[in-house]
Amino acid sequence: MADKEVSTRGNWNSKVGFVLAAAGSAVGLGNIWRFPTEAASNGGGAFLLIYLICCFLIGYPVMMAEIAIGRRTGKNPVGAFKALSSNKLYPLIGMWGVLCGIMILSFYTVVAGWTFSYVFEEIFFAAGMNDWATWISNTGNGWLNAIFSVAFMACTISIIRGGVSDGIERATKTLMPLLFGILLLLIGYVIMQPGSSEGLAVYLQPDFSKINANLIFAAMGQAFFSLSLGMGALITYGSYLSRKENVPQAAALVTFTDTLVAFLAGLLILPAMYLAQAKGITIFQDGQFVAGPDLIFQVLPALFHDIGGLLGAIVGVTFFALLSMAALTSTISLLEVPVSYAIDEFEVPRKRAAMLIGIGILVISLIISFNTALIGWFDYIFSAIGLPLGGILISLFVAYAWKTENAFDELELGNNNFRHSIVGKTWKIFIMIICPLVILFNLLRSF
Ligand code: PFF
């Protein structure tokens, strides 16, 4: 494999650049609005522990496999499978990944647009323009959804047009530290408020009696979506990684960062929910925590409005800016997958590929904008089923078609003797047997 060929497609400038970009893909809406309530409803600290185990035992091996495939071939997900095997069926795994990327991006853009519209909602509310605030935050208004989807997709396209190091790496190097800083500031503010400690206790105190098969499977599904696995996003990002770098270590850093942000998001959301409850805002419905869009777009804005004044506006605006940034670092990875496919396989110049594919996906987002009930369906088919299915196929491909010995050759660049280390030996068992079986079991259960 000529390194020159790889470098013409673009390269990360540094390992930090790769880790931040991959962590940016992983850290997204999933971490901030799904993880905390899922943890609180399912045994708090006990769920957290199971989630950590799922991320590191099931997610981490698959992540290493994806990055190894990408870096070995220096190709998009479809081209990578073509390069590693002459069997014409294997590139279908990459095709499935590209399709999942397109479909997930189409609905993710609409939801990301909502988080962006709420930045304005908070500003209007603080300015006393309540009617405007109510109008702009109406997620049932198709035209508004469409406008914010266009705005969000425009940001995503403009970053992808910039290329790997000047676009994706530069954007994530700015956005990720900012996201981290905002998250810490908001946590600091919320947990200083009287009444927040009840939320902390619910989040952190382990209730081991709640651990059962359903909980373990819920934790695994969440881990998979949250780590951006199963659709070749990390094959693509891995294809821009230098051969000097230590893949097992970089993958560990990405997994660690994603779980850290999910954990921190819980320190923000749960105390905030209990603050909201103390102010008379409903946080339980039918015995369950209000979760997902209702939590983010009703409970928390009600809390920010109750804080009121300049402080309420600052907290509200920064919270929705945080969500928008987390979403943006994920949407760029989702768009990069089909764009890299078009660049490698059809020799479309990057700028044109980003524009054409971005606009094509936006057309689907516009349909969803007027039919938001589709979001649940798309999420079910392409995230809940599509990503684990891709994860099983990628694991089986590495284990039995490409073969772990070849994968080890790749993983040992930058990590001498990895195959003989404990992590290396464990990885082999997991990628050959445990990951595919456990993910398959989880998938069958979801039917
Ligand atoms: N990991 C993202 C989140 O937690 O919101 C979602 C995601 C992004 C999934 C990119 C898959 C992907 F390729």
Side-chain angles (χ1 to χ4, degrees):
M1 180 67 43
D3 266 347
K4 197 155 153 263
E5 186 192 332
V6 176
S7 67
T8 53
R9 304 168 67 242
N11 263 328
W12 307 112
N13 272 330
S14 64
K15 184 169 93 185
V16 176
F18 165 76
V19 171
L20 285 179
S25 167
V27 171
L29 299 173
N31 298 58
I32 300 176
W33 88 24
R34 227 178 99 182
F35 174 77
T37 42
E38 194 118 353
S41 314
N42 290 304
F47 182 89
L48 205 65
L49 190 72
I50 303 284
Y51 178 73
L52 274 176
I53 294 174
C54 290
C55 283
F56 279 93
L57 289 188
I58 306 298
Y60 174 59
V62 177
M63 185 182 291
M64 257 199 280
E66 282 204 28
I67 299 174
I69 293 176
R71 192 175 65 173
R72 165 52 52 112
T73 57
K75 287 263 162 32
N76 68 90
V78 180
F81 287 100
K82 272 192 206 159
L84 291 178
S85 163
S86 53
N87 187 321
K88 296 252 182 319
L89 285 178
Y90 293 130
L92 289 177
I93 305 174
M95 290 291 246
W96 175 246
V98 172
L99 178 71
C100 286
I102 290 173
M103 300 314 263
I104 293 175
L105 179 57
S106 69
F107 74 82
Y108 207 92
T109 297
V110 179
V111 182
W114 290 343
T115 66
F116 194 38
S117 72
Y118 267 74
V119 171
F120 298 94
E121 187 267 357
E122 291 296 311
I123 295 174
F124 286 140
F125 188 85
M129 299 156 77
N130 292 8
D131 291 348
W132 281 77
T134 310
W135 172 77
I136 205 156
S137 61
N138 178 6
T139 53
N141 182 335
W143 289 104
L144 266 178
N145 293 343
I147 291 169
F148 280 103
S149 298
V150 170
F152 213 90
M153 183 60 89
C155 294
T156 309
I157 293 174
S158 70
I159 294 170
I160 293 301
R161 276 169 59 92
V164 178
S165 56
D166 288 343
I168 305 174
E169 185 169 356
R170 191 188 287 173
T172 46
K173 264 187 169 166
T174 315
L175 290 171
M176 289 302 284
L178 205 59
L179 182 148
F180 220 72
I182 292 181
L183 189 55
L184 291 180
L185 278 178
L186 286 174
I187 293 170
Y189 168 75
V190 168
I191 61 177
M192 301 280 281
Q193 304 307 304
S196 66
S197 53
E198 204 182 331
L200 274 186
V202 169
Y203 177 44
L204 296 176
Q205 266 174 16
D207 177 359
F208 289 105
S209 71
K210 288 224 170 132
I211 296 185
N212 56 34
N214 278 347
L215 181 148
I216 297 173
F217 289 127
M220 197 180 312
Q222 168 67 9
F224 225 73
F225 179 76
S226 186
L227 291 170
S228 301
L229 295 174
M231 50 155 277
L234 286 148
I235 295 181
T236 311
Y237 275 15
S239 74
Y240 307 130
L241 185 64
S242 149
R243 294 189 190 286
K244 295 196 306 282
E245 304 299 354
N246 182 339
V247 171
Q249 187 200 54
L253 282 171
V254 175
T255 309
F256 174 76
T257 310
D258 185 59
T259 45
L260 178 67
V261 173
F263 171 72
L264 290 176
L267 293 184
L268 169 65
I269 302 288
L270 265 300
M273 289 177 81
Y274 276 81
L275 276 188
Q277 190 184 39
K279 293 177 187 294
I281 300 161
T282 308
I283 65 164
F284 286 104
Q285 249 162 22
D286 308 325
Q288 286 276 3
F289 278 104
V290 175
D294 287 347
L295 164 68
I296 297 297
F297 300 124
Q298 282 170 26
V299 173
L300 295 181
L303 171 68
F304 304 144
H305 295 175
D306 193 273
I307 297 171
L310 185 60
L311 182 64
I314 292 174
V315 175
V317 168
T318 45
F319 176 74
F320 286 108
L322 167 84
L323 272 176
S324 302
M325 288 189 296
L328 183 60
T329 54
S330 294
T331 54
I332 56 184
S333 71
L334 288 161
L335 181 58
E336 180 62 17
V337 172
V339 165
S340 70
Y341 172 54
I343 294 173
D344 292 345
E345 306 300 309
F346 303 101
E347 294 179 0
V348 184
R350 169 172 286 276
K351 286 191 165 55
R352 192 181 308 161
M355 203 67 187
L356 289 178
I357 297 172
I359 291 174
I361 296 173
L362 183 60
V363 172
I364 312 176
S365 303
L366 295 182
I367 296 171
I368 297 173
S369 292
F370 289 92
N371 304 277
T372 50
L374 288 173
I375 293 175
W377 283 101
F378 277 41
D379 188 29
Y380 180 66
I381 298 169
F382 299 104
S383 323
I385 297 178
L387 298 183
L389 180 63
I392 296 169
L393 296 173
I394 290 169
S395 307
L396 292 177
F397 174 82
V398 169
Y400 303 104
W402 185 28
K403 303 269 190 310
T404 46
E405 284 314 302
N406 292 316
F408 273 133
D409 289 344
E410 183 59 35
L411 292 169
E412 286 194 341
L413 302 174
N415 190 331
N416 281 340
N417 250 345
F418 178 66
R419 78 186 73 210
H420 300 299
S421 67
I422 294 184
V423 180
K425 286 180 186 156
T426 317
W427 176 78
K428 182 171 171 176
I429 300 171
F430 272 75
I431 212 71
M432 291 183 78
I433 302 165
I434 300 181
C435 293
L437 274 184
V438 168
I439 306 168
L440 177 69
F441 201 59
N442 198 18
L443 190 61
L444 292 178
R445 192 195 124 272
S446 75
F447 291 120

